Amino acid sequence: MPQGFLAFPQGFRWGTATAAHQVEGYNTNNQWWQWEQQPGRIVNGDTSGIACNWWRNAEADFDWMVTLAQNAHRLSVEWSRIEPREGHFDEAALERYRAMVRALRERGIEPMITLHHFTNPIWLEEQRCWLRADRIVPLFRRFVERVVRALGDLCDLWCTINEPNVYAVMSYFGGRMPPGLTDMGSAITVMQNLLVAHAAAYEAIHAIQPRARVGLAHHMRYFQGLRPHLFLDALVARVIDGIFNESLLLALLRGRWHWMLWRGAPVSARKLRATLDWIGLNYYTRQRIAFDHTGGQALFGTLVNTPGVIMSDYDFGEIFPEGLRYFLRKLARYRLPIFITENGLPDADDDLRPMFIVRHLRALWEALQAGCDVRGYYHWSLVDNFEWNEGWRMRFGLIAMDWRTQQRTPRQSAFLYRDVARANALTPEIVQAYTPELFSQVFA
Ligand code: FCB
């Protein structure tokens, strides 16, 4: 191996990640579609509309994946299409998903299927089922069984729930996602129920498909006190880290409820233990926290940007690859395979993304050298897509897309990522071609 060649393990998965509602188009039967129609909910009044037209023609983008030398893709199925009314399953929708997953396989792309990625059928949302374990757990389980029976011959890599912490916090406490509640107690209940629903799905999938590999995508954010000398900043950051980052791992891997989740929990956490075959890490950024004696946004903390650093578009986040290495090393302690199920940034003109990718892949490579068992990396995302309450303005795609014309134009980063996937390595040629300014850092 030439010196300075950062090779990845044989069979490493290079992919991208998407979510049904963000790419399919016309998901009119879920709570997000309803939310988008309400004035003031989405930036610029955007709606998902036709999105990236995947329901009709995901295959066009699957061809792009081939062009970009991808061997993996993480996509999600839309509950509101599959079970449009409670207890009524739509075989045609399942057939469409079969066709999509088959189309991936035919192109040599291994699917990872997410079963819940933020969206719910309207009937389920109207009954506020996520607030009631006795409702949501059997409903989710039945839905999952249906999907696994329909797609199980084409897929064995399942991601039960995307970012339980983000969903619970943003939808029930932050008010930014439907149903737009701002109640900490509800967020805690939903978090508990998401974890219990995950465990039920884990069991159900294995009962149908004993060889299945089941995990979930956990969003971890590197919380750090703003002012290094202030003990209270560090303390609040630590408390928030415990709830947001650690509580899920504690429940699903150690069988213990975090002190914030313990009260009113529907089951003993011991029942949740060992319900992960792998851990999915969604990693984006570092978040600084300042102590605020008036209460702050939550738990006496106010979220602030690190002063003086470059942020991606619209102050979305600081580029902080050290956080990826930190979390990988932390997760490696659980001795399970790890997938990086999301990592990316909004960057319409692509002036930061090449640097972002190279620095994060370097951090990932370092983690691999340190013995972390990382099996794959799914960049968020393949094409620009409907970014929830940010609508169309945040552009996460390796491929730019004008959503009105559906015109795709690959960004430079797409070719960088293709070259890495092809070589299964970060080579001096690649770094020299796309990010020469990083050469000495990467190959130090
Ligand atoms: C994650 C979500 C994903 C996408 C990215 C930018 O939190 O899982 O759907 O919106 O952020």
Side-chain angles (χ1 to χ4, degrees), residues 397-426:
L398 293 170
I399 299 174
M401 189 190 84
D402 178 337
W403 62 274
R404 289 185 191 84
T405 62
Q406 291 290 309
Q407 177 74 37
R408 269 90 168 147
T409 314
R411 298 186 164 105
Q412 268 302 94
S413 296
F415 300 118
L416 157 62
Y417 193 51
R418 173 200 63 190
D419 292 354
V420 171
R422 248 187 215 153
N424 198 27
L426 202 53

PDB file of all heavy atoms in Angstrom, residues 397-426:
ATOM      1  N   GLY A 397     -27.695  17.874  -0.768  1.00  0.00           N
ATOM      2  CA  GLY A 397     -27.391  16.847  -1.759  1.00  0.00           C
ATOM      3  C   GLY A 397     -25.961  16.852  -2.282  1.00  0.00           C
ATOM      4  O   GLY A 397     -25.356  17.907  -2.461  1.00  0.00           O
ATOM      5  N   LEU A 398     -25.460  15.645  -2.546  1.00  0.00           N
ATOM      6  CA  LEU A 398     -24.244  15.547  -3.353  1.00  0.00           C
ATOM      7  C   LEU A 398     -24.590  16.021  -4.761  1.00  0.00           C
ATOM      8  O   LEU A 398     -23.754  16.535  -5.485  1.00  0.00           O
ATOM      9  CB  LEU A 398     -23.772  14.089  -3.430  1.00  0.00           C
ATOM     10  CG  LEU A 398     -23.270  13.463  -2.134  1.00  0.00           C
ATOM     11  CD1 LEU A 398     -23.070  11.962  -2.314  1.00  0.00           C
ATOM     12  CD2 LEU A 398     -21.968  14.114  -1.685  1.00  0.00           C
ATOM     13  N   ILE A 399     -25.880  15.845  -5.081  1.00  0.00           N
ATOM     14  CA  ILE A 399     -26.378  16.268  -6.390  1.00  0.00           C
ATOM     15  C   ILE A 399     -27.366  17.415  -6.151  1.00  0.00           C
ATOM     16  O   ILE A 399     -28.284  17.283  -5.335  1.00  0.00           O
ATOM     17  CB  ILE A 399     -27.080  15.100  -7.098  1.00  0.00           C
ATOM     18  CG1 ILE A 399     -26.088  13.947  -7.317  1.00  0.00           C
ATOM     19  CG2 ILE A 399     -27.710  15.555  -8.415  1.00  0.00           C
ATOM     20  CD1 ILE A 399     -26.699  12.687  -7.871  1.00  0.00           C
ATOM     21  N   ALA A 400     -27.146  18.510  -6.823  1.00  0.00           N
ATOM     22  CA  ALA A 400     -28.078  19.640  -6.716  1.00  0.00           C
ATOM     23  C   ALA A 400     -29.345  19.306  -7.483  1.00  0.00           C
ATOM     24  O   ALA A 400     -29.300  18.618  -8.501  1.00  0.00           O
ATOM     25  CB  ALA A 400     -27.435  20.890  -7.311  1.00  0.00           C
ATOM     26  N   MET A 401     -30.473  19.759  -6.944  1.00  0.00           N
ATOM     27  CA  MET A 401     -31.712  19.529  -7.680  1.00  0.00           C
ATOM     28  C   MET A 401     -32.580  20.766  -7.633  1.00  0.00           C
ATOM     29  O   MET A 401     -32.795  21.349  -6.584  1.00  0.00           O
ATOM     30  CB  MET A 401     -32.477  18.358  -7.074  1.00  0.00           C
ATOM     31  CG  MET A 401     -33.658  17.958  -7.947  1.00  0.00           C
ATOM     32  SD  MET A 401     -34.755  16.785  -7.153  1.00  0.00           S
ATOM     33  CE  MET A 401     -35.776  17.876  -6.190  1.00  0.00           C
ATOM     34  N   ASP A 402     -33.046  21.172  -8.791  1.00  0.00           N
ATOM     35  CA  ASP A 402     -34.038  22.233  -8.858  1.00  0.00           C
ATOM     36  C   ASP A 402     -35.388  21.538  -8.731  1.00  0.00           C
ATOM     37  O   ASP A 402     -35.802  20.798  -9.624  1.00  0.00           O
ATOM     38  CB  ASP A 402     -33.905  22.959 -10.211  1.00  0.00           C
ATOM     39  CG  ASP A 402     -34.947  24.060 -10.357  1.00  0.00           C
ATOM     40  OD1 ASP A 402     -35.995  23.998  -9.678  1.00  0.00           O
ATOM     41  OD2 ASP A 402     -34.707  24.979 -11.155  1.00  0.00           O
ATOM     42  N   TRP A 403     -36.061  21.729  -7.590  1.00  0.00           N
ATOM     43  CA  TRP A 403     -37.244  20.897  -7.350  1.00  0.00           C
ATOM     44  C   TRP A 403     -38.409  21.265  -8.272  1.00  0.00           C
ATOM     45  O   TRP A 403     -39.315  20.482  -8.476  1.00  0.00           O
ATOM     46  CB  TRP A 403     -37.657  20.907  -5.886  1.00  0.00           C
ATOM     47  CG  TRP A 403     -38.055  22.250  -5.368  1.00  0.00           C
ATOM     48  CD1 TRP A 403     -37.213  23.196  -4.872  1.00  0.00           C
ATOM     49  CD2 TRP A 403     -39.364  22.790  -5.310  1.00  0.00           C
ATOM     50  NE1 TRP A 403     -37.925  24.302  -4.509  1.00  0.00           N
ATOM     51  CE2 TRP A 403     -39.261  24.078  -4.764  1.00  0.00           C
ATOM     52  CE3 TRP A 403     -40.631  22.314  -5.645  1.00  0.00           C
ATOM     53  CZ2 TRP A 403     -40.353  24.900  -4.554  1.00  0.00           C
ATOM     54  CZ3 TRP A 403     -41.728  23.129  -5.437  1.00  0.00           C
ATOM     55  CH2 TRP A 403     -41.585  24.409  -4.899  1.00  0.00           C
ATOM     56  N   ARG A 404     -38.335  22.444  -8.871  1.00  0.00           N
ATOM     57  CA  ARG A 404     -39.432  22.796  -9.795  1.00  0.00           C
ATOM     58  C   ARG A 404     -39.303  22.053 -11.112  1.00  0.00           C
ATOM     59  O   ARG A 404     -40.267  21.568 -11.663  1.00  0.00           O
ATOM     60  CB  ARG A 404     -39.439  24.301 -10.055  1.00  0.00           C
ATOM     61  CG  ARG A 404     -39.895  25.086  -8.845  1.00  0.00           C
ATOM     62  CD  ARG A 404     -40.014  26.570  -9.150  1.00  0.00           C
ATOM     63  NE  ARG A 404     -40.187  27.305  -7.908  1.00  0.00           N
ATOM     64  CZ  ARG A 404     -39.193  27.692  -7.125  1.00  0.00           C
ATOM     65  NH1 ARG A 404     -37.942  27.429  -7.463  1.00  0.00           N
ATOM     66  NH2 ARG A 404     -39.430  28.338  -5.999  1.00  0.00           N
ATOM     67  N   THR A 405     -38.067  21.944 -11.604  1.00  0.00           N
ATOM     68  CA  THR A 405     -37.862  21.286 -12.905  1.00  0.00           C
ATOM     69  C   THR A 405     -37.394  19.847 -12.747  1.00  0.00           C
ATOM     70  O   THR A 405     -37.322  19.108 -13.719  1.00  0.00           O
ATOM     71  CB  THR A 405     -36.781  22.026 -13.710  1.00  0.00           C
ATOM     72  OG1 THR A 405     -35.557  21.950 -12.953  1.00  0.00           O
ATOM     73  CG2 THR A 405     -37.142  23.486 -13.923  1.00  0.00           C
ATOM     74  N   GLN A 406     -37.007  19.494 -11.508  1.00  0.00           N
ATOM     75  CA  GLN A 406     -36.463  18.165 -11.232  1.00  0.00           C
ATOM     76  C   GLN A 406     -35.082  17.935 -11.880  1.00  0.00           C
ATOM     77  O   GLN A 406     -34.588  16.814 -11.901  1.00  0.00           O
ATOM     78  CB  GLN A 406     -37.441  17.055 -11.687  1.00  0.00           C
ATOM     79  CG  GLN A 406     -38.708  16.987 -10.851  1.00  0.00           C
ATOM     80  CD  GLN A 406     -38.433  16.462  -9.441  1.00  0.00           C
ATOM     81  OE1 GLN A 406     -37.806  15.410  -9.250  1.00  0.00           O
ATOM     82  NE2 GLN A 406     -38.882  17.182  -8.435  1.00  0.00           N
ATOM     83  N   GLN A 407     -34.511  18.991 -12.372  1.00  0.00           N
ATOM     84  CA  GLN A 407     -33.192  18.898 -13.001  1.00  0.00           C
ATOM     85  C   GLN A 407     -32.114  18.577 -11.956  1.00  0.00           C
ATOM     86  O   GLN A 407     -32.023  19.251 -10.943  1.00  0.00           O
ATOM     87  CB  GLN A 407     -32.908  20.248 -13.673  1.00  0.00           C
ATOM     88  CG  GLN A 407     -31.569  20.413 -14.323  1.00  0.00           C
ATOM     89  CD  GLN A 407     -31.475  19.627 -15.633  1.00  0.00           C
ATOM     90  OE1 GLN A 407     -32.459  19.547 -16.372  1.00  0.00           O
ATOM     91  NE2 GLN A 407     -30.316  19.034 -15.879  1.00  0.00           N
ATOM     92  N   ARG A 408     -31.328  17.555 -12.206  1.00  0.00           N
ATOM     93  CA  ARG A 408     -30.216  17.185 -11.317  1.00  0.00           C
ATOM     94  C   ARG A 408     -28.880  17.637 -11.896  1.00  0.00           C
ATOM     95  O   ARG A 408     -28.620  17.423 -13.075  1.00  0.00           O
ATOM     96  CB  ARG A 408     -30.131  15.663 -11.169  1.00  0.00           C
ATOM     97  CG  ARG A 408     -30.900  15.067 -10.022  1.00  0.00           C
ATOM     98  CD  ARG A 408     -32.285  14.722 -10.427  1.00  0.00           C
ATOM     99  NE  ARG A 408     -32.952  13.895  -9.416  1.00  0.00           N
ATOM    100  CZ  ARG A 408     -34.244  13.948  -9.165  1.00  0.00           C
ATOM    101  NH1 ARG A 408     -35.024  14.803  -9.809  1.00  0.00           N
ATOM    102  NH2 ARG A 408     -34.788  13.143  -8.267  1.00  0.00           N
ATOM    103  N   THR A 409     -28.025  18.155 -11.029  1.00  0.00           N
ATOM    104  CA  THR A 409     -26.668  18.530 -11.447  1.00  0.00           C
ATOM    105  C   THR A 409     -25.705  18.121 -10.338  1.00  0.00           C
ATOM    106  O   THR A 409     -25.781  18.667  -9.238  1.00  0.00           O
ATOM    107  CB  THR A 409     -26.559  20.067 -11.635  1.00  0.00           C
ATOM    108  OG1 THR A 409     -27.693  20.514 -12.388  1.00  0.00           O
ATOM    109  CG2 THR A 409     -25.284  20.447 -12.344  1.00  0.00           C
ATOM    110  N   PRO A 410     -24.847  17.177 -10.612  1.00  0.00           N
ATOM    111  CA  PRO A 410     -23.937  16.746  -9.534  1.00  0.00           C
ATOM    112  C   PRO A 410     -23.000  17.874  -9.112  1.00  0.00           C
ATOM    113  O   PRO A 410     -22.511  18.621  -9.948  1.00  0.00           O
ATOM    114  CB  PRO A 410     -23.148  15.594 -10.155  1.00  0.00           C
ATOM    115  CG  PRO A 410     -23.414  15.641 -11.613  1.00  0.00           C
ATOM    116  CD  PRO A 410     -24.668  16.414 -11.852  1.00  0.00           C
ATOM    117  N   ARG A 411     -22.801  17.980  -7.820  1.00  0.00           N
ATOM    118  CA  ARG A 411     -21.807  18.931  -7.314  1.00  0.00           C
ATOM    119  C   ARG A 411     -20.444  18.253  -7.340  1.00  0.00           C
ATOM    120  O   ARG A 411     -20.347  17.020  -7.435  1.00  0.00           O
ATOM    121  CB  ARG A 411     -22.179  19.353  -5.885  1.00  0.00           C
ATOM    122  CG  ARG A 411     -23.532  20.071  -5.814  1.00  0.00           C
ATOM    123  CD  ARG A 411     -23.833  20.621  -4.410  1.00  0.00           C
ATOM    124  NE  ARG A 411     -24.907  21.583  -4.451  1.00  0.00           N
ATOM    125  CZ  ARG A 411     -26.168  21.351  -4.027  1.00  0.00           C
ATOM    126  NH1 ARG A 411     -26.489  20.198  -3.491  1.00  0.00           N
ATOM    127  NH2 ARG A 411     -27.086  22.282  -4.134  1.00  0.00           N
ATOM    128  N   GLN A 412     -19.392  19.051  -7.209  1.00  0.00           N
ATOM    129  CA  GLN A 412     -18.041  18.500  -7.142  1.00  0.00           C
ATOM    130  C   GLN A 412     -17.929  17.388  -6.107  1.00  0.00           C
ATOM    131  O   GLN A 412     -17.269  16.383  -6.324  1.00  0.00           O
ATOM    132  CB  GLN A 412     -17.056  19.611  -6.763  1.00  0.00           C
ATOM    133  CG  GLN A 412     -16.424  20.328  -7.901  1.00  0.00           C
ATOM    134  CD  GLN A 412     -15.664  19.376  -8.821  1.00  0.00           C
ATOM    135  OE1 GLN A 412     -16.212  18.902  -9.822  1.00  0.00           O
ATOM    136  NE2 GLN A 412     -14.416  19.084  -8.480  1.00  0.00           N
ATOM    137  N   SER A 413     -18.591  17.596  -4.983  1.00  0.00           N
ATOM    138  CA  SER A 413     -18.534  16.605  -3.899  1.00  0.00           C
ATOM    139  C   SER A 413     -18.995  15.233  -4.337  1.00  0.00           C
ATOM    140  O   SER A 413     -18.548  14.223  -3.801  1.00  0.00           O
ATOM    141  CB  SER A 413     -19.448  17.031  -2.755  1.00  0.00           C
ATOM    142  OG  SER A 413     -18.999  18.214  -2.204  1.00  0.00           O
ATOM    143  N   ALA A 414     -19.916  15.207  -5.286  1.00  0.00           N
ATOM    144  CA  ALA A 414     -20.415  13.915  -5.757  1.00  0.00           C
ATOM    145  C   ALA A 414     -19.266  13.124  -6.379  1.00  0.00           C
ATOM    146  O   ALA A 414     -19.122  11.917  -6.154  1.00  0.00           O
ATOM    147  CB  ALA A 414     -21.535  14.121  -6.777  1.00  0.00           C
ATOM    148  N   PHE A 415     -18.428  13.818  -7.128  1.00  0.00           N
ATOM    149  CA  PHE A 415     -17.314  13.120  -7.791  1.00  0.00           C
ATOM    150  C   PHE A 415     -16.224  12.749  -6.789  1.00  0.00           C
ATOM    151  O   PHE A 415     -15.593  11.704  -6.896  1.00  0.00           O
ATOM    152  CB  PHE A 415     -16.770  13.986  -8.928  1.00  0.00           C
ATOM    153  CG  PHE A 415     -17.834  14.283  -9.952  1.00  0.00           C
ATOM    154  CD1 PHE A 415     -18.241  15.582 -10.212  1.00  0.00           C
ATOM    155  CD2 PHE A 415     -18.460  13.240 -10.623  1.00  0.00           C
ATOM    156  CE1 PHE A 415     -19.235  15.839 -11.141  1.00  0.00           C
ATOM    157  CE2 PHE A 415     -19.468  13.489 -11.555  1.00  0.00           C
ATOM    158  CZ  PHE A 415     -19.856  14.802 -11.813  1.00  0.00           C
ATOM    159  N   LEU A 416     -16.046  13.613  -5.827  1.00  0.00           N
ATOM    160  CA  LEU A 416     -15.104  13.282  -4.751  1.00  0.00           C
ATOM    161  C   LEU A 416     -15.555  11.996  -4.051  1.00  0.00           C
ATOM    162  O   LEU A 416     -14.772  11.053  -3.867  1.00  0.00           O
ATOM    163  CB  LEU A 416     -15.052  14.449  -3.748  1.00  0.00           C
ATOM    164  CG  LEU A 416     -14.597  14.159  -2.318  1.00  0.00           C
ATOM    165  CD1 LEU A 416     -13.162  13.654  -2.270  1.00  0.00           C
ATOM    166  CD2 LEU A 416     -14.705  15.413  -1.453  1.00  0.00           C
ATOM    167  N   TYR A 417     -16.836  11.965  -3.693  1.00  0.00           N
ATOM    168  CA  TYR A 417     -17.360  10.800  -2.967  1.00  0.00           C
ATOM    169  C   TYR A 417     -17.311   9.550  -3.853  1.00  0.00           C
ATOM    170  O   TYR A 417     -16.994   8.460  -3.380  1.00  0.00           O
ATOM    171  CB  TYR A 417     -18.782  11.110  -2.503  1.00  0.00           C
ATOM    172  CG  TYR A 417     -19.326  10.133  -1.484  1.00  0.00           C
ATOM    173  CD1 TYR A 417     -18.596   9.809  -0.345  1.00  0.00           C
ATOM    174  CD2 TYR A 417     -20.558   9.521  -1.666  1.00  0.00           C
ATOM    175  CE1 TYR A 417     -19.084   8.912   0.586  1.00  0.00           C
ATOM    176  CE2 TYR A 417     -21.068   8.617  -0.733  1.00  0.00           C
ATOM    177  CZ  TYR A 417     -20.322   8.322   0.391  1.00  0.00           C
ATOM    178  OH  TYR A 417     -20.809   7.429   1.313  1.00  0.00           O
ATOM    179  N   ARG A 418     -17.598   9.715  -5.135  1.00  0.00           N
ATOM    180  CA  ARG A 418     -17.494   8.596  -6.076  1.00  0.00           C
ATOM    181  C   ARG A 418     -16.072   8.040  -6.091  1.00  0.00           C
ATOM    182  O   ARG A 418     -15.858   6.826  -6.017  1.00  0.00           O
ATOM    183  CB  ARG A 418     -17.864   9.081  -7.486  1.00  0.00           C
ATOM    184  CG  ARG A 418     -17.640   8.060  -8.573  1.00  0.00           C
ATOM    185  CD  ARG A 418     -17.550   8.705  -9.951  1.00  0.00           C
ATOM    186  NE  ARG A 418     -16.401   9.618 -10.041  1.00  0.00           N
ATOM    187  CZ  ARG A 418     -16.163  10.458 -11.046  1.00  0.00           C
ATOM    188  NH1 ARG A 418     -17.030  10.528 -12.047  1.00  0.00           N
ATOM    189  NH2 ARG A 418     -15.101  11.243 -11.058  1.00  0.00           N
ATOM    190  N   ASP A 419     -15.105   8.922  -6.164  1.00  0.00           N
ATOM    191  CA  ASP A 419     -13.718   8.477  -6.253  1.00  0.00           C
ATOM    192  C   ASP A 419     -13.287   7.726  -4.989  1.00  0.00           C
ATOM    193  O   ASP A 419     -12.572   6.731  -5.056  1.00  0.00           O
ATOM    194  CB  ASP A 419     -12.788   9.669  -6.511  1.00  0.00           C
ATOM    195  CG  ASP A 419     -13.003  10.267  -7.902  1.00  0.00           C
ATOM    196  OD1 ASP A 419     -13.789   9.679  -8.680  1.00  0.00           O
ATOM    197  OD2 ASP A 419     -12.402  11.322  -8.210  1.00  0.00           O
ATOM    198  N   VAL A 420     -13.763   8.213  -3.843  1.00  0.00           N
ATOM    199  CA  VAL A 420     -13.444   7.520  -2.590  1.00  0.00           C
ATOM    200  C   VAL A 420     -14.083   6.131  -2.591  1.00  0.00           C
ATOM    201  O   VAL A 420     -13.437   5.130  -2.259  1.00  0.00           O
ATOM    202  CB  VAL A 420     -13.946   8.327  -1.369  1.00  0.00           C
ATOM    203  CG1 VAL A 420     -13.810   7.514  -0.084  1.00  0.00           C
ATOM    204  CG2 VAL A 420     -13.190   9.649  -1.245  1.00  0.00           C
ATOM    205  N   ALA A 421     -15.354   6.077  -2.995  1.00  0.00           N
ATOM    206  CA  ALA A 421     -16.060   4.784  -2.998  1.00  0.00           C
ATOM    207  C   ALA A 421     -15.377   3.806  -3.948  1.00  0.00           C
ATOM    208  O   ALA A 421     -15.197   2.627  -3.627  1.00  0.00           O
ATOM    209  CB  ALA A 421     -17.520   4.998  -3.394  1.00  0.00           C
ATOM    210  N   ARG A 422     -14.995   4.296  -5.096  1.00  0.00           N
ATOM    211  CA  ARG A 422     -14.324   3.441  -6.085  1.00  0.00           C
ATOM    212  C   ARG A 422     -13.005   2.888  -5.569  1.00  0.00           C
ATOM    213  O   ARG A 422     -12.695   1.725  -5.702  1.00  0.00           O
ATOM    214  CB  ARG A 422     -14.027   4.267  -7.327  1.00  0.00           C
ATOM    215  CG  ARG A 422     -14.831   3.825  -8.493  1.00  0.00           C
ATOM    216  CD  ARG A 422     -14.370   4.575  -9.727  1.00  0.00           C
ATOM    217  NE  ARG A 422     -15.519   4.829 -10.560  1.00  0.00           N
ATOM    218  CZ  ARG A 422     -15.615   5.833 -11.409  1.00  0.00           C
ATOM    219  NH1 ARG A 422     -14.627   6.708 -11.525  1.00  0.00           N
ATOM    220  NH2 ARG A 422     -16.683   5.977 -12.137  1.00  0.00           N
ATOM    221  N   ALA A 423     -12.220   3.763  -4.966  1.00  0.00           N
ATOM    222  CA  ALA A 423     -10.899   3.359  -4.473  1.00  0.00           C
ATOM    223  C   ALA A 423     -11.005   2.631  -3.135  1.00  0.00           C
ATOM    224  O   ALA A 423     -10.056   2.001  -2.687  1.00  0.00           O
ATOM    225  CB  ALA A 423     -10.012   4.585  -4.322  1.00  0.00           C
ATOM    226  N   ASN A 424     -12.164   2.756  -2.478  1.00  0.00           N
ATOM    227  CA  ASN A 424     -12.330   2.298  -1.096  1.00  0.00           C
ATOM    228  C   ASN A 424     -11.201   2.857  -0.228  1.00  0.00           C
ATOM    229  O   ASN A 424     -10.659   2.196   0.642  1.00  0.00           O
ATOM    230  CB  ASN A 424     -12.383   0.771  -1.020  1.00  0.00           C
ATOM    231  CG  ASN A 424     -12.990   0.279   0.287  1.00  0.00           C
ATOM    232  OD1 ASN A 424     -13.804   0.979   0.899  1.00  0.00           O
ATOM    233  ND2 ASN A 424     -12.576  -0.875   0.761  1.00  0.00           N
ATOM    234  N   ALA A 425     -10.881   4.085  -0.502  1.00  0.00           N
ATOM    235  CA  ALA A 425      -9.754   4.725   0.193  1.00  0.00           C
ATOM    236  C   ALA A 425      -9.784   6.220  -0.055  1.00  0.00           C
ATOM    237  O   ALA A 425     -10.383   6.688  -1.018  1.00  0.00           O
ATOM    238  CB  ALA A 425      -8.434   4.162  -0.345  1.00  0.00           C
ATOM    239  N   LEU A 426      -9.140   6.905   0.844  1.00  0.00           N
ATOM    240  CA  LEU A 426      -8.873   8.324   0.632  1.00  0.00           C
ATOM    241  C   LEU A 426      -7.429   8.382   0.140  1.00  0.00           C
ATOM    242  O   LEU A 426      -6.507   8.173   0.920  1.00  0.00           O
ATOM    243  CB  LEU A 426      -9.049   9.039   1.972  1.00  0.00           C
ATOM    244  CG  LEU A 426      -9.322  10.523   2.009  1.00  0.00           C
ATOM    245  CD1 LEU A 426     -10.509  10.919   1.155  1.00  0.00           C
ATOM    246  CD2 LEU A 426      -9.588  10.947   3.460  1.00  0.00           C
TER     247      LEU A 426
END
